[in-house]
Amino acid sequence: METYELEVSKMIKADTELVYRVLSDYQNEHPNILPKPYFSNVEVERGGVGAGTVVKVQMKVMGAVQHFRLTVSEPRPGREIREEDPEAGIKTIFTLEP
């Protein structure tokens, strides 16, 4: 299987703590920032905020609907959130710097 890596950076004029709260709240906030044409279903299976959260996501990828089960970790609390589905081989890392 081929491996692809994509990195995107964006300057956001907002308080780092506020952005982190939105990203880490999979129960209420995070689903609201996902692009609707691609993400059609987000279901919290366990937890809901931050590390230990497990969320099922339905995503349209290249015209096909894919299902992922993401486990959330916070290697650097307040600065980094990781979503991983080892079975699918995907990982998303959100890194925030003031």
Coordinates of all heavy atoms in Angstrom, one line a residue:
M1 N 0.8 -1.2 0.0 CA 0.0 0.0 0.0 C 0.9 1.2 0.0 O 1.9 1.3 0.7 CB -0.9 0.0 1.2 CG -1.7 1.3 1.3 SD -2.8 1.6 2.7 CE -2.7 0.3 3.9
E2 N 0.5 2.2 -0.8 CA 1.3 3.5 -0.9 C 0.9 4.3 0.3 O -0.2 4.3 0.9 CB 0.9 4.2 -2.2 CG 1.4 3.5 -3.4 CD 1.2 4.4 -4.6 OE1 1.7 5.6 -4.6 OE2 0.6 3.9 -5.6
T3 N 1.9 5.2 0.7 CA 1.7 6.1 1.8 C 1.7 7.5 1.3 O 2.5 7.9 0.5 CB 2.8 5.9 2.9 OG1 2.8 4.6 3.3 CG2 2.6 6.9 4.0
Y4 N 0.7 8.3 1.7 CA 0.6 9.7 1.4 C 0.7 10.5 2.6 O 0.1 10.2 3.6 CB -0.7 9.9 0.6 CG -0.8 9.2 -0.7 CD1 -1.5 8.0 -0.7 CD2 -0.3 9.7 -1.9 CE1 -1.6 7.2 -1.9 CE2 -0.4 9.0 -3.0 CZ -1.0 7.8 -3.1 OH -1.2 7.1 -4.2
E5 N 1.3 11.6 2.5 CA 1.4 12.6 3.6 C 1.1 13.9 3.1 O 1.5 14.4 2.1 CB 2.8 12.6 4.2 CG 2.9 13.4 5.5 CD 4.2 13.3 6.2 OE1 4.8 12.2 6.2 OE2 4.7 14.3 6.7
L6 N 0.2 14.6 3.8 CA -0.3 15.9 3.5 C -0.1 16.8 4.7 O -0.5 16.5 5.8 CB -1.7 15.9 3.0 CG -2.4 17.2 2.7 CD1 -1.8 17.9 1.5 CD2 -3.9 17.0 2.5
E7 N 0.4 18.0 4.5 CA 0.5 19.0 5.6 C -0.1 20.3 5.1 O 0.2 20.8 4.1 CB 2.0 19.2 5.9 CG 2.2 20.1 7.1 CD 3.6 20.2 7.6 OE1 4.3 19.2 7.5 OE2 4.0 21.3 8.0
V8 N -0.9 20.8 6.0 CA -1.6 22.1 5.7 C -1.4 23.0 7.0 O -1.6 22.5 8.1 CB -3.1 21.9 5.4 CG1 -3.8 23.2 5.2 CG2 -3.3 21.0 4.2
S9 N -1.1 24.2 6.8 CA -1.0 25.2 7.9 C -1.9 26.3 7.6 O -2.2 26.7 6.5 CB 0.4 25.7 8.0 OG 1.3 24.7 8.3
K10 N -2.5 26.9 8.7 CA -3.4 28.0 8.6 C -3.3 28.9 9.8 O -3.3 28.4 10.9 CB -4.9 27.5 8.5 CG -5.9 28.5 8.4 CD -6.0 29.1 7.0 CE -7.2 30.0 6.9 NZ -7.3 30.7 5.7
M11 N -3.1 30.2 9.6 CA -3.1 31.2 10.7 C -4.6 31.5 11.0 O -5.3 31.9 10.1 CB -2.3 32.4 10.2 CG -0.9 32.2 10.2 SD -0.2 32.2 11.8 CE 0.3 33.9 12.0
I12 N -4.9 31.4 12.2 CA -6.3 31.7 12.6 C -6.2 32.8 13.7 O -5.5 32.6 14.7 CB -7.0 30.5 13.2 CG1 -7.1 29.4 12.1 CG2 -8.4 30.8 13.7 CD1 -7.7 28.1 12.6
K13 N -6.9 33.9 13.5 CA -6.9 34.9 14.5 C -7.9 34.6 15.6 O -9.0 35.1 15.5 CB -7.2 36.3 13.9 CG -6.1 36.8 13.0 CD -6.4 38.2 12.5 CE -5.2 38.7 11.6 NZ -5.4 40.1 11.2
A14 N -7.5 33.7 16.5 CA -8.4 33.3 17.6 C -7.5 32.8 18.7 O -6.4 32.4 18.5 CB -9.3 32.2 17.1
D15 N -8.1 32.8 19.9 CA -7.3 32.3 21.1 C -7.0 30.8 20.9 O -7.9 30.0 20.6 CB -8.2 32.6 22.3 CG -7.6 32.1 23.6 OD1 -6.5 32.6 23.9 OD2 -8.1 31.1 24.2
T16 N -5.8 30.4 21.1 CA -5.4 29.0 21.0 C -6.2 28.1 21.8 O -6.6 27.0 21.4 CB -3.9 28.9 21.3 OG1 -3.1 29.8 20.5 CG2 -3.4 27.5 21.0
E17 N -6.5 28.5 23.0 CA -7.3 27.7 23.9 C -8.7 27.4 23.4 O -9.3 26.4 23.5 CB -7.4 28.3 25.3 CG -6.0 28.2 26.0 CD -6.1 28.8 27.4 OE1 -7.2 29.1 27.9 OE2 -5.0 29.1 27.9
L18 N -9.3 28.5 22.8 CA -10.6 28.4 22.2 C -10.6 27.4 21.0 O -11.5 26.5 20.9 CB -11.2 29.7 21.7 CG -12.5 29.7 21.0 CD1 -13.6 29.1 21.8 CD2 -12.8 31.1 20.5
V19 N -9.6 27.5 20.1 CA -9.5 26.6 19.0 C -9.3 25.2 19.5 O -10.0 24.3 19.0 CB -8.4 27.1 18.1 CG1 -8.1 26.0 17.0 CG2 -8.6 28.4 17.5
Y20 N -8.5 25.0 20.5 CA -8.3 23.7 21.0 C -9.6 23.1 21.6 O -9.9 21.9 21.4 CB -7.2 23.7 22.1 CG -6.6 22.4 22.4 CD1 -5.6 21.8 21.5 CD2 -7.1 21.6 23.4 CE1 -5.1 20.6 21.8 CE2 -6.5 20.3 23.7 CZ -5.5 19.8 22.8 OH -5.0 18.6 23.1
R21 N -10.4 23.9 22.3 CA -11.6 23.4 22.9 C -12.6 22.9 21.8 O -13.2 21.9 21.9 CB -12.3 24.5 23.7 CG -11.7 24.6 25.1 CD -12.6 25.4 26.1 NE -13.0 26.7 25.6 CZ -12.3 27.8 25.9 NH1 -11.2 27.7 26.6 NH2 -12.7 28.9 25.4
V22 N -12.6 23.7 20.7 CA -13.5 23.3 19.5 C -13.0 22.0 18.9 O -13.8 21.1 18.7 CB -13.6 24.4 18.5 CG1 -14.2 24.0 17.2 CG2 -14.3 25.7 19.0
L23 N -11.7 21.9 18.7 CA -11.2 20.7 18.0 C -11.3 19.5 18.9 O -11.6 18.4 18.4 CB -9.7 20.9 17.7 CG -9.4 21.8 16.6 CD1 -7.9 22.0 16.5 CD2 -9.9 21.3 15.3
S24 N -11.2 19.6 20.2 CA -11.2 18.5 21.1 C -12.6 18.0 21.6 O -12.8 17.0 22.1 CB -10.4 18.7 22.4 OG -10.9 19.8 23.1
D25 N -13.7 18.8 21.3 CA -15.0 18.5 21.6 C -15.8 17.8 20.5 O -16.4 18.4 19.7 CB -15.8 19.8 22.0 CG -17.2 19.5 22.5 OD1 -17.7 18.4 22.5 OD2 -17.8 20.5 23.0
Y26 N -15.6 16.5 20.5 CA -16.2 15.7 19.4 C -17.7 15.5 19.6 O -18.4 15.1 18.7 CB -15.5 14.3 19.3 CG -14.1 14.5 18.8 CD1 -13.1 14.8 19.6 CD2 -13.8 14.3 17.4 CE1 -11.8 15.0 19.2 CE2 -12.6 14.5 16.9 CZ -11.5 14.8 17.8 OH -10.3 15.0 17.3
Q27 N -18.2 15.8 20.8 CA -19.7 15.7 21.0 C -20.5 16.8 20.4 O -21.5 16.6 19.8 CB -19.9 15.6 22.5 CG -21.3 15.2 22.9 CD -21.6 13.7 22.5 OE1 -20.8 12.8 22.8 NE2 -22.7 13.5 21.9
N28 N -19.9 18.0 20.6 CA -20.7 19.2 20.2 C -20.1 20.1 19.1 O -20.7 20.5 18.2 CB -21.0 20.1 21.4 CG -21.8 19.3 22.4 OD1 -22.9 18.8 22.2 ND2 -21.2 19.2 23.6
E29 N -18.8 20.4 19.3 CA -18.2 21.5 18.5 C -17.5 20.9 17.2 O -17.7 21.4 16.1 CB -17.1 22.2 19.3 CG -17.7 23.0 20.5 CD -18.7 24.1 20.1 OE1 -18.6 24.6 19.0 OE2 -19.5 24.4 21.0
H30 N -16.6 19.9 17.3 CA -15.8 19.4 16.2 C -16.7 19.0 15.0 O -16.4 19.4 13.9 CB -15.0 18.2 16.7 CG -13.9 17.9 15.7 ND1 -12.6 18.1 16.0 CD2 -13.9 17.3 14.5 CE1 -11.9 17.7 14.9 NE2 -12.7 17.2 14.0
P31 N -17.8 18.4 15.2 CA -18.6 18.0 14.0 C -19.1 19.2 13.2 O -19.3 19.1 12.0 CB -19.8 17.3 14.6 CG -19.3 16.7 15.9 CD -18.4 17.7 16.4
N32 N -19.2 20.4 13.9 CA -19.7 21.6 13.2 C -18.7 22.2 12.3 O -19.1 23.1 11.4 CB -20.2 22.6 14.2 CG -21.4 22.1 15.0 OD1 -22.3 21.5 14.4 ND2 -21.5 22.4 16.3
I33 N -17.4 21.9 12.4 CA -16.4 22.5 11.6 C -16.0 21.6 10.4 O -15.2 22.0 9.6 CB -15.1 22.9 12.4 CG1 -14.4 21.6 13.0 CG2 -15.5 23.9 13.4 CD1 -13.1 21.9 13.6
L34 N -16.6 20.4 10.4 CA -16.2 19.4 9.3 C -17.0 19.8 8.0 O -18.1 20.2 8.0 CB -16.6 18.0 9.7 CG -15.9 17.4 10.9 CD1 -16.5 16.1 11.2 CD2 -14.4 17.3 10.6
P35 N -16.3 19.8 6.8 CA -16.9 20.1 5.6 C -18.0 19.1 5.2 O -17.8 17.9 5.1 CB -15.8 20.0 4.5 CG -14.6 19.5 5.2 CD -14.9 19.4 6.7
K36 N -19.3 19.6 5.2 CA -20.4 18.8 5.0 C -20.5 18.0 3.7 O -21.0 16.8 3.7 CB -21.7 19.7 5.0 CG -21.9 20.4 6.4 CD -22.0 19.4 7.5 CE -22.2 20.2 8.8 NZ -21.5 19.7 9.9
P37 N -19.9 18.4 2.6 CA -20.0 17.5 1.4 C -19.2 16.2 1.6 O -19.5 15.2 0.9 CB -19.4 18.4 0.3 CG -19.3 19.8 0.8 CD -19.3 19.7 2.3
Y38 N -18.2 16.2 2.5 CA -17.4 15.1 2.7 C -17.7 14.2 3.9 O -17.6 13.0 3.9 CB -15.9 15.5 2.7 CG -15.5 16.3 1.6 CD1 -15.3 17.7 1.7 CD2 -15.4 15.7 0.3 CE1 -15.0 18.5 0.6 CE2 -15.0 16.5 -0.8 CZ -14.9 17.9 -0.7 OH -14.6 18.7 -1.7
F39 N -18.1 14.9 5.0 CA -18.5 14.2 6.2 C -20.0 14.2 6.4 O -20.6 15.2 6.6 CB -17.8 14.9 7.4 CG -16.3 14.8 7.4 CD1 -15.5 15.7 6.8 CD2 -15.7 13.7 8.1 CE1 -14.1 15.6 6.8 CE2 -14.3 13.6 8.1 CZ -13.5 14.6 7.5
S40 N -20.6 13.0 6.4 CA -22.0 12.9 6.5 C -22.5 12.4 7.8 O -23.7 12.5 8.1 CB -22.6 12.1 5.3 OG -22.0 10.8 5.3
N41 N -21.6 11.8 8.6 CA -22.0 11.2 9.9 C -20.9 11.2 10.8 O -19.8 10.7 10.5 CB -22.6 9.8 9.7 CG -23.3 9.3 10.9 OD1 -23.8 10.1 11.7 ND2 -23.3 8.0 11.0
V42 N -21.1 11.7 12.0 CA -20.1 11.6 13.1 C -20.8 11.1 14.3 O -21.7 11.7 14.8 CB -19.4 13.0 13.4 CG1 -18.4 12.9 14.5 CG2 -18.8 13.5 12.1
E43 N -20.3 10.0 14.8 CA -21.0 9.4 16.0 C -19.9 9.1 17.1 O -19.0 8.3 16.9 CB -21.7 8.1 15.6 CG -22.3 7.3 16.7 CD -22.8 6.0 16.3 OE1 -23.1 5.8 15.1 OE2 -22.9 5.1 17.1
V44 N -20.1 9.7 18.3 CA -19.2 9.4 19.4 C -19.6 8.1 20.0 O -20.7 7.8 20.4 CB -19.3 10.5 20.4 CG1 -18.5 10.2 21.6 CG2 -18.9 11.9 19.9
E45 N -18.6 7.2 20.0 CA -18.8 5.9 20.6 C -18.4 5.8 22.0 O -18.9 5.1 22.8 CB -17.9 4.9 19.7 CG -18.1 3.4 20.1 CD -17.3 2.6 19.2 OE1 -17.7 2.4 18.0 OE2 -16.3 2.0 19.6
R46 N -17.3 6.6 22.4 CA -16.8 6.6 23.8 C -16.2 8.0 24.0 O -15.6 8.6 23.2 CB -15.8 5.5 24.0 CG -15.3 5.4 25.4 CD -14.3 4.3 25.6 NE -13.1 4.5 24.9 CZ -12.4 3.6 24.2 NH1 -12.9 2.4 24.1 NH2 -11.3 3.9 23.6
G47 N -16.4 8.5 25.2 CA -15.9 9.8 25.6 C -16.6 10.9 25.0 O -17.9 10.9 25.1
G48 N -16.0 11.8 24.3 CA -16.6 12.9 23.7 C -15.8 14.1 23.7 O -15.9 15.0 22.8
V49 N -14.9 14.2 24.7 CA -14.0 15.4 24.7 C -12.5 14.9 25.0 O -12.3 14.3 26.0 CB -14.4 16.4 25.8 CG1 -13.4 17.5 25.9 CG2 -15.8 16.9 25.6
G50 N -11.7 15.2 24.0 CA -10.2 14.9 24.2 C -9.8 13.5 24.2 O -10.5 12.6 23.6
A51 N -8.7 13.2 24.8 CA -8.0 11.9 24.8 C -9.0 10.8 25.3 O -9.8 11.1 26.2 CB -6.8 12.0 25.7
G52 N -8.9 9.7 24.6 CA -9.7 8.6 25.0 C -11.1 8.5 24.2 O -11.8 7.5 24.2
T53 N -11.4 9.6 23.5 CA -12.6 9.6 22.7 C -12.4 8.7 21.5 O -11.4 8.6 20.9 CB -12.9 11.1 22.2 OG1 -13.2 11.9 23.3 CG2 -14.0 11.1 21.2
V54 N -13.5 8.0 21.2 CA -13.5 7.1 20.0 C -14.8 7.6 19.2 O -15.9 7.7 19.8 CB -13.7 5.6 20.4 CG1 -13.8 4.8 19.1 CG2 -12.5 5.2 21.2
V55 N -14.5 7.9 18.0 CA -15.6 8.4 17.1 C -15.7 7.7 15.8 O -14.6 7.4 15.2 CB -15.4 10.0 16.9 CG1 -14.2 10.3 16.2 CG2 -16.6 10.6 16.3
K56 N -16.9 7.4 15.4 CA -17.1 6.8 14.0 C -17.4 7.9 13.1 O -18.2 8.7 13.4 CB -18.2 5.8 14.1 CG -17.9 4.5 14.9 CD -19.1 3.6 14.8 CE -18.8 2.3 15.6 NZ -20.0 1.4 15.6
V57 N -16.8 7.9 11.9 CA -16.9 8.9 10.9 C -17.3 8.3 9.6 O -16.6 7.3 9.2 CB -15.7 9.8 10.8 CG1 -15.8 10.8 9.8 CG2 -15.3 10.4 12.2
Q58 N -18.2 8.9 8.9 CA -18.5 8.5 7.5 C -18.0 9.6 6.6 O -18.4 10.7 6.8 CB -20.0 8.3 7.4 CG -20.4 7.7 6.0 CD -21.9 7.4 6.0 OE1 -22.4 6.7 6.8 NE2 -22.6 7.9 5.0
M59 N -17.2 9.2 5.7 CA -16.6 10.3 4.8 C -16.6 9.8 3.4 O -16.3 8.7 3.1 CB -15.1 10.5 5.3 CG -14.4 11.6 4.6 SD -12.7 11.7 5.3 CE -12.1 13.0 4.2
K60 N -16.9 10.8 2.5 CA -16.8 10.5 1.1 C -15.4 10.8 0.6 O -14.9 12.0 0.7 CB -17.8 11.4 0.4 CG -18.1 11.0 -1.0 CD -19.3 11.9 -1.6 CE -20.0 11.1 -2.7 NZ -21.1 11.9 -3.2
V61 N -14.8 9.8 0.1 CA -13.4 9.9 -0.4 C -13.3 9.5 -1.8 O -13.7 8.3 -2.2 CB -12.4 9.1 0.4 CG1 -11.0 9.2 0.0 CG2 -12.5 9.4 1.9
M62 N -13.0 10.4 -2.7 CA -12.9 10.1 -4.2 C -14.2 9.4 -4.7 O -14.2 8.5 -5.4 CB -11.7 9.2 -4.5 CG -10.4 9.9 -4.2 SD -9.1 8.6 -4.3 CE -7.8 9.4 -5.0
G63 N -15.3 9.9 -4.2 CA -16.6 9.5 -4.7 C -17.2 8.3 -4.0 O -18.3 7.9 -4.2
A64 N -16.4 7.6 -3.1 CA -16.8 6.4 -2.4 C -17.0 6.8 -0.9 O -16.2 7.5 -0.4 CB -15.8 5.3 -2.6
V65 N -18.0 6.2 -0.3 CA -18.2 6.4 1.1 C -17.3 5.5 1.9 O -17.3 4.2 1.7 CB -19.7 6.2 1.5 CG1 -19.9 6.3 3.0 CG2 -20.6 7.2 0.7
Q66 N -16.5 6.0 2.8 CA -15.6 5.3 3.7 C -16.1 5.4 5.1 O -16.6 6.4 5.5 CB -14.2 5.8 3.5 CG -13.6 5.7 2.1 CD -13.4 4.3 1.7 OE1 -12.9 3.5 2.4 NE2 -13.6 4.1 0.4
H67 N -15.8 4.4 5.9 CA -16.2 4.4 7.4 C -14.9 4.3 8.1 O -14.1 3.4 7.9 CB -17.1 3.3 7.7 CG -18.4 3.4 7.0 ND1 -19.5 4.1 7.5 CD2 -18.8 2.9 5.8 CE1 -20.5 4.0 6.6 NE2 -20.1 3.3 5.6
F68 N -14.7 5.2 9.1 CA -13.5 5.2 9.9 C -13.9 5.2 11.4 O -14.9 5.7 11.8 CB -12.6 6.4 9.6 CG -12.2 6.5 8.2 CD1 -12.8 7.5 7.4 CD2 -11.2 5.7 7.7 CE1 -12.4 7.6 6.1 CE2 -10.8 5.8 6.4 CZ -11.4 6.8 5.5
R69 N -13.0 4.5 12.2 CA -13.2 4.5 13.7 C -12.0 5.1 14.2 O -10.9 4.5 14.3 CB -13.4 3.1 14.1 CG -13.7 3.0 15.6 CD -14.1 1.6 16.0 NE -14.5 1.5 17.4 CZ -13.7 1.1 18.4 NH1 -12.5 0.8 18.2 NH2 -14.2 1.1 19.6
L70 N -12.1 6.4 14.6 CA -10.9 7.2 15.1 C -10.8 7.2 16.6 O -11.8 7.4 17.3 CB -11.1 8.6 14.6 CG -11.3 8.8 13.1 CD1 -11.7 10.2 12.8 CD2 -10.0 8.4 12.3
T71 N -9.6 6.9 17.1 CA -9.3 7.1 18.5 C -8.5 8.3 18.6 O -7.5 8.6 17.9 CB -8.4 5.9 18.9 OG1 -9.2 4.7 18.7 CG2 -8.1 6.0 20.4
V72 N -8.9 9.1 19.6 CA -8.3 10.5 19.9 C -7.3 10.4 21.0 O -7.5 9.8 22.0 CB -9.4 11.5 20.2 CG1 -8.7 12.9 20.5 CG2 -10.4 11.6 19.1
S73 N -6.1 11.0 20.8 CA -5.1 11.1 21.8 C -4.6 12.5 21.9 O -4.8 13.3 20.9 CB -3.9 10.1 21.6 OG -3.2 10.5 20.4
E74 N -4.0 12.9 23.0 CA -3.4 14.2 23.1 C -2.0 14.1 23.6 O -1.7 14.2 24.8 CB -4.3 15.0 24.1 CG -5.7 15.3 23.7 CD -6.5 16.2 24.6 OE1 -6.2 17.4 24.7 OE2 -7.3 15.6 25.3
P75 N -1.0 13.9 22.7 CA 0.4 13.8 23.2 C 0.9 15.0 23.9 O 1.7 14.9 24.8 CB 1.1 13.5 21.8 CG 0.1 13.1 20.9 CD -1.2 13.7 21.3
R76 N 0.4 16.2 23.5 CA 0.8 17.4 24.1 C -0.5 18.1 24.5 O -1.0 18.9 23.6 CB 1.7 18.3 23.2 CG 3.0 17.7 22.9 CD 3.9 18.6 22.2 NE 3.3 19.1 20.9 CZ 3.6 20.3 20.4 NH1 4.4 21.1 21.0 NH2 3.0 20.6 19.3
P77 N -1.1 17.9 25.6 CA -2.4 18.5 26.0 C -2.4 20.0 25.8 O -1.5 20.6 26.2 CB -2.6 18.1 27.4 CG -1.8 16.8 27.6 CD -0.6 17.0 26.7
G78 N -3.5 20.5 25.2 CA -3.6 21.9 24.9 C -2.9 22.3 23.6 O -3.0 23.5 23.2
R79 N -2.1 21.5 23.0 CA -1.3 21.8 21.8 C -1.4 20.9 20.7 O -1.1 21.2 19.5 CB 0.2 22.0 22.2 CG 0.5 23.1 23.1 CD 0.4 24.5 22.4 NE 0.6 25.6 23.3 CZ -0.3 26.4 23.8 NH1 -1.6 26.1 23.4 NH2 -0.1 27.4 24.5
E80 N -1.7 19.6 21.0 CA -1.8 18.6 19.9 C -2.8 17.6 20.1 O -3.0 17.0 21.2 CB -0.4 17.9 19.8 CG -0.3 16.9 18.6 CD 1.1 16.3 18.5 OE1 2.1 17.0 18.5 OE2 1.1 15.1 18.4
I81 N -3.6 17.3 19.1 CA -4.7 16.3 19.1 C -4.4 15.4 17.9 O -4.1 15.8 16.8 CB -6.1 16.9 18.9 CG1 -6.4 17.8 20.1 CG2 -7.1 15.8 18.8 CD1 -7.7 18.6 19.9
R82 N -4.5 14.1 18.2 CA -4.3 13.1 17.1 C -5.5 12.2 17.0 O -6.1 11.8 18.0 CB -3.1 12.2 17.4 CG -1.8 12.9 17.3 CD -0.7 11.9 17.5 NE 0.6 12.7 17.5 CZ 1.7 12.2 17.1 NH1 1.8 11.0 16.6 NH2 2.8 13.0 17.1
E83 N -5.9 12.0 15.7 CA -7.0 11.1 15.4 C -6.4 9.9 14.6 O -5.8 10.2 13.6 CB -8.1 11.7 14.6 CG -8.7 13.0 15.2 CD -9.6 13.7 14.2 OE1 -9.5 13.5 13.0 OE2 -10.3 14.6 14.7
E84 N -6.6 8.7 15.0 CA -6.0 7.6 14.3 C -7.0 6.4 14.1 O -7.7 6.1 15.0 CB -4.8 7.1 15.1 CG -3.7 8.1 15.2 CD -2.4 7.5 15.8 OE1 -1.8 6.6 15.2 OE2 -2.1 7.9 16.9
D85 N -6.9 5.8 12.9 CA -7.6 4.6 12.6 C -6.6 3.7 12.1 O -6.3 3.7 10.9 CB -8.8 4.8 11.6 CG -9.5 3.5 11.3 OD1 -9.0 2.4 11.5 OD2 -10.7 3.6 10.9
P86 N -5.9 2.9 12.9 CA -4.8 2.0 12.5 C -5.2 1.0 11.4 O -4.5 0.7 10.5 CB -4.3 1.3 13.7 CG -4.9 2.1 14.9 CD -6.1 2.8 14.4
E87 N -6.5 0.5 11.5 CA -7.0 -0.5 10.6 C -7.0 0.1 9.2 O -6.7 -0.5 8.2 CB -8.3 -0.9 11.0 CG -8.8 -2.2 10.3 CD -10.0 -2.8 11.0 OE1 -10.0 -3.1 12.2 OE2 -11.0 -2.9 10.2
A88 N -7.5 1.4 9.1 CA -7.5 2.0 7.8 C -6.2 2.7 7.4 O -6.0 3.1 6.2 CB -8.6 3.1 7.8
G89 N -5.3 2.8 8.3 CA -4.0 3.4 8.1 C -4.0 4.9 7.9 O -3.2 5.5 7.2
I90 N -4.9 5.6 8.7 CA -5.0 7.0 8.6 C -4.7 7.7 9.9 O -5.0 7.1 11.0 CB -6.4 7.5 8.0 CG1 -7.5 7.2 9.0 CG2 -6.6 7.0 6.7 CD1 -8.7 7.9 8.7
K91 N -4.2 8.9 9.9 CA -3.9 9.6 11.1 C -4.0 11.1 10.7 O -3.5 11.5 9.7 CB -2.4 9.3 11.5 CG -2.0 10.1 12.7 CD -0.5 10.0 13.1 CE 0.1 8.6 12.8 NZ 1.5 8.6 13.2
T92 N -4.7 11.9 11.6 CA -4.7 13.3 11.4 C -4.2 13.9 12.7 O -4.5 13.5 13.8 CB -6.2 13.8 11.3 OG1 -6.8 13.1 10.1 CG2 -6.3 15.3 11.1
I93 N -3.3 14.9 12.5 CA -2.7 15.6 13.7 C -3.0 17.1 13.6 O -2.7 17.7 12.6 CB -1.1 15.3 13.7 CG1 -0.8 13.9 13.7 CG2 -0.5 16.1 14.9 CD1 0.7 13.6 13.5
F94 N -3.6 17.6 14.7 CA -3.8 19.0 14.8 C -2.8 19.5 15.8 O -2.8 19.1 16.9 CB -5.2 19.3 15.3 CG -6.4 18.8 14.5 CD1 -7.0 17.6 14.7 CD2 -6.8 19.5 13.4 CE1 -8.0 17.1 13.9 CE2 -7.9 19.1 12.6 CZ -8.5 17.9 12.9
T95 N -2.0 20.5 15.3 CA -1.0 21.1 16.2 C -1.3 22.6 16.3 O -1.4 23.2 15.2 CB 0.5 20.8 15.6 OG1 0.7 19.4 15.4 CG2 1.5 21.4 16.6
L96 N -1.4 23.1 17.5 CA -1.7 24.5 17.7 C -0.5 25.2 18.3 O 0.1 24.7 19.3 CB -2.9 24.6 18.6 CG -4.2 24.3 17.9 CD1 -4.5 22.8 18.0 CD2 -5.3 25.1 18.5
E97 N -0.1 26.3 17.8 CA 1.0 27.1 18.3 C 0.4 28.5 18.5 O -0.2 29.0 17.6 CB 2.2 27.1 17.4 CG 2.8 25.8 17.1 CD 3.4 25.1 18.3 OE1 3.8 25.9 19.3 OE2 3.5 23.9 18.3
P98 N 0.7 29.1 19.7 CA 0.1 30.5 19.9 C 0.8 31.5 19.0 O 1.8 31.3 18.5 CB 0.5 30.8 21.4 CG 1.2 29.6 21.9 CD 1.4 28.6 20.8

